[in-house]
């Protein structure tokens, strides 16, 4: 793309306009401004004027250029990178969750620290963007791919019937999913057996004598939430448990509200499992406010383990894993994918182990 100060004085749209240029099969792996100019029937400088919103071309010409570029999902590359043909040395992460919720979630801080530590060893920086929903996330992936902005992607929070893996695979950007189920996917993944992890908690509580259990879950559309719910469904029959699940957005506010709802129900559950340590800490606070002794009348277990489960009184029983190491494992797989472009594969991370602390005990009158 020509710099603005090198645009020739004549009208770049003066070139003869073809009748309707055919775009079928016209998109190479890496489009350039010359390709857009050829397909739109204009000069390269006209493409520069159109994308920089500069005068010198007619509205009709500008519209034709932008329509061609939109159809081919093309945006101008950054000049220096385009001229050198170099990599950006950047991995991109887009998270479709409320920024306020992420700000208090230790899991993401530990995961991103491990991810960046490993990527830094390979000279790769991380570009993080927080958006409102999956539709906005997909739009970012398309823009980044069109602009050659990143060399790889990490996808988070895989949902049921998620369109993102196939979209990214079609964009041909190297990528790794954190999550999945260990089955075939169009992208490589690093996954944890959430079904087995939840089963460990339920077997432990059943062995203590608990039969009425509450579950404060995360977002139901997430695949890892769905696998935890499947484990709960299996345990109802296998272990003879009655389990009530309340969905939330992982925030402390909704975690507290769900806890109050469970503790006010009749009959009241004697144990509550939380899908995050933020919600577990909030739930412990609610139990204290309601004068429900922990673990005397209700036991509390967290699916995540961080400083938030260590500091309260009593400290919270939790599934523990090295989230920093999980980030490093994901980065290692991404670097491998970026370098080798292998067939998609599923790499299983260790299943979290249950660490028993003071928040759990046999139910009253057990």
């Amino acid at each position: 793309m020509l710099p603005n100060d090198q645009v020739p004085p004549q009208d770049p749209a003066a070139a003869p306009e073809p009748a309707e240029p055919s775009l079928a099969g016209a998109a190479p792996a890496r489009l350039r401004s010359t390709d857009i100019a050829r397909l739109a029937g204009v000069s390269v400088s006209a493409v520069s004027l159109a994308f920089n919103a500069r005068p010198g071309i007619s509205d009709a010409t500008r519209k034709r250029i932008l329509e061609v570029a939109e159809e081919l999902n093309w945006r101008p590359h950054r000049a220096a990178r385009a001229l050198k043909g170099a990599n950006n040395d950047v991995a991109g992460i887009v998270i479709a969750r409320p920024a306020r919720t992420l700000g208090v979630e230790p899991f993401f801080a530990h995961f991103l620290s491990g991810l960046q530590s490993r990527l830094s060893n390979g000279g790769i920086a991380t570009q993080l963007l927080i958006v409102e929903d999956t539709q906005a996330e997909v739009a970012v992936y398309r823009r980044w791919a069109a602009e050659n902005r990143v060399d790889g992607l990490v996808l988070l929070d895989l949902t049921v019937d998620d369109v993102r893996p196939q979209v990214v695979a079609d964009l041909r950007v190297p990528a790794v999913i954190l999550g999945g189920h260990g089955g075939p996917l169009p992208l490589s993944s690093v996954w944890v057996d959430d079904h087995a992890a939840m089963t460990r908690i339920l077997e432990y509580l059943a062995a203590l004598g608990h039969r009425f259990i509450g579950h404060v879950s995360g977002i139901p559309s997430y695949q890892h939430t769905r696998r935890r719910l499947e484990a709960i469904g299996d345990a109802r029959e296998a272990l003879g448990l009655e389990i009530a699940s309340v969905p939330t957005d992982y925030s402390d506010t909704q975690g507290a509200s769900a806890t109050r709802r469970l503790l006010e129900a009749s009959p009241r559950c004697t144990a509550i499992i939380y899908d995050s340590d933020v919600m577990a800490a909030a739930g412990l606070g609610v139990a204290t406010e309601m004068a429900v002794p922990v673990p005397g009348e209700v036991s509390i277990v967290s699916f995540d383990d961080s400083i938030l489960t260590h500091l309260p009184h009593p400290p919270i029983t939790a599934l523990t894993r090295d989230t920093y190491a999980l980030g490093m494992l994901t980065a290692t797989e991404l670097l491998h994918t970026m370098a080798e472009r292998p067939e998609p594969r599923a790499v299983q991370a260790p299943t979290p182990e249950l660490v028993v602390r003071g928040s759990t005990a046999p139910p009253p009158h057990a």
Side-chain angles (χ1 to χ4, degrees):
M1 185 175 68
L2 290 178
N4 292 327
D5 59 0
Q6 296 182 18
V7 175
Q10 69 273 19
D11 182 354
E17 297 183 5
E20 293 285 336
S22 174
L23 303 182
R30 291 293 185 190
L31 284 170
R32 299 178 181 275
S33 57
T34 52
D35 299 306
I36 304 302
R38 174 176 56 82
L39 292 168
V42 299
S43 68
V44 175
S45 56
V47 176
S48 175
L49 290 174
F51 274 89
N52 285 286
R54 299 285 184 140
I57 56 175
S58 67
D59 290 341
T61 299
R62 189 186 310 277
K63 179 181 178 182
R64 183 166 71 253
I65 293 169
L66 296 178
E67 285 178 347
V68 170
E70 181 65 22
E71 184 168 352
L72 295 176
N73 192 34
W74 181 86
R75 299 292 185 280
H77 291 187
R78 287 171 290 175
R81 289 291 182 180
L83 289 174
K84 293 178 182 178
N87 291 333
N88 295 287
D89 296 331
V90 174
I93 304 175
V94 185
I95 302 177
R97 285 200 193 186
R100 184 179 299 275
T101 301
L102 290 175
V104 296
E105 178 54 71
F107 173 86
F108 283 102
H110 295 162
F111 172 78
L112 292 174
S113 295
L115 183 84
Q116 182 59 73
S117 175
R118 179 66 183 89
L119 291 177
S120 294
N121 290 337
I124 306 294
T126 303
Q127 180 166 344
L128 173 65
L129 190 63
I130 299 173
V131 297
E132 291 299 319
D133 52 35
T134 301
Q135 184 177 2
E137 183 177 344
V138 168
V140 172
Y141 292 146
R142 293 188 184 281
R143 186 174 74 250
W144 281 357
E147 296 175 356
N148 194 31
R149 183 71 61 87
V150 298
D151 303 307
L153 293 167
V154 176
L155 277 64
L156 305 173
D157 294 333
L158 204 64
T159 63
V160 179
D161 299 325
D162 203 319
V163 301
R164 294 174 298 158
Q166 191 59 57
V167 168
V168 172
D170 291 343
L171 291 172
R172 304 186 65 80
V173 178
V176 171
I177 301 166
L178 176 63
H181 42 65
L185 288 170
L187 302 173
S188 290
S189 65
V190 175
W191 70 289
V192 178
D193 192 340
D194 287 273
H195 188 286
M198 178 60 80
T199 300
R200 286 182 178 177
I201 295 176
L202 294 168
E203 289 177 343
Y204 164 71
L205 292 174
L208 288 178
H210 293 278
R211 291 295 176 266
F212 298 93
I213 298 173
H215 173 223
V216 180
S217 84
I219 298 171
S221 62
Y222 288 170
Q223 284 195 15
H224 60 262
T225 303
R226 185 65 59 89
R227 289 194 300 276
R228 297 175 192 184
L229 293 172
E230 289 172 355
I232 287 173
D234 294 341
R236 285 193 177 101
E237 182 176 349
L239 301 175
L241 303 177
E242 294 187 27
I243 307 171
S245 290
V246 181
T248 72
D249 64 356
Y250 285 105
S251 69
D252 56 335
T253 302
Q254 290 198 13
S257 176
T259 302
R260 192 173 299 279
R261 174 178 166 184
L262 289 169
L263 293 180
E264 290 175 346
S266 180
R268 189 168 68 194
C269 56
T270 61
I272 303 177
I273 303 168
Y274 295 85
D275 271 10
S276 78
D277 45 8
V278 170
M279 295 195 298
L284 178 58
V286 168
T288 301
E289 292 173 6
M290 296 179 65
V292 178
V294 176
E297 292 188 18
V298 64
S299 291
I300 287 179
V301 183
S302 174
F303 210 96
D304 283 329
D305 190 20
S306 73
I307 193 66
L308 292 179
T309 61
H310 297 226
L311 293 180
H313 180 75
I316 298 173
T317 295
L319 282 173
T320 188
R321 61 182 167 190
D322 191 337
T323 308
Y324 183 90
L326 181 65
M328 293 193 71
L329 177 62
T330 304
T332 299
E333 185 62 21
L334 179 61
L335 290 171
H336 173 68
T337 302
M338 290 165 59
E340 304 294 335
R341 298 296 182 97
E343 289 297 314
R345 64 183 185 180
V347 178
Q348 185 173 359
T351 302
E353 298 289 340
L354 188 66
V355 175
V356 177
R357 300 191 179 100
S359 69
T360 50
H365 316 301

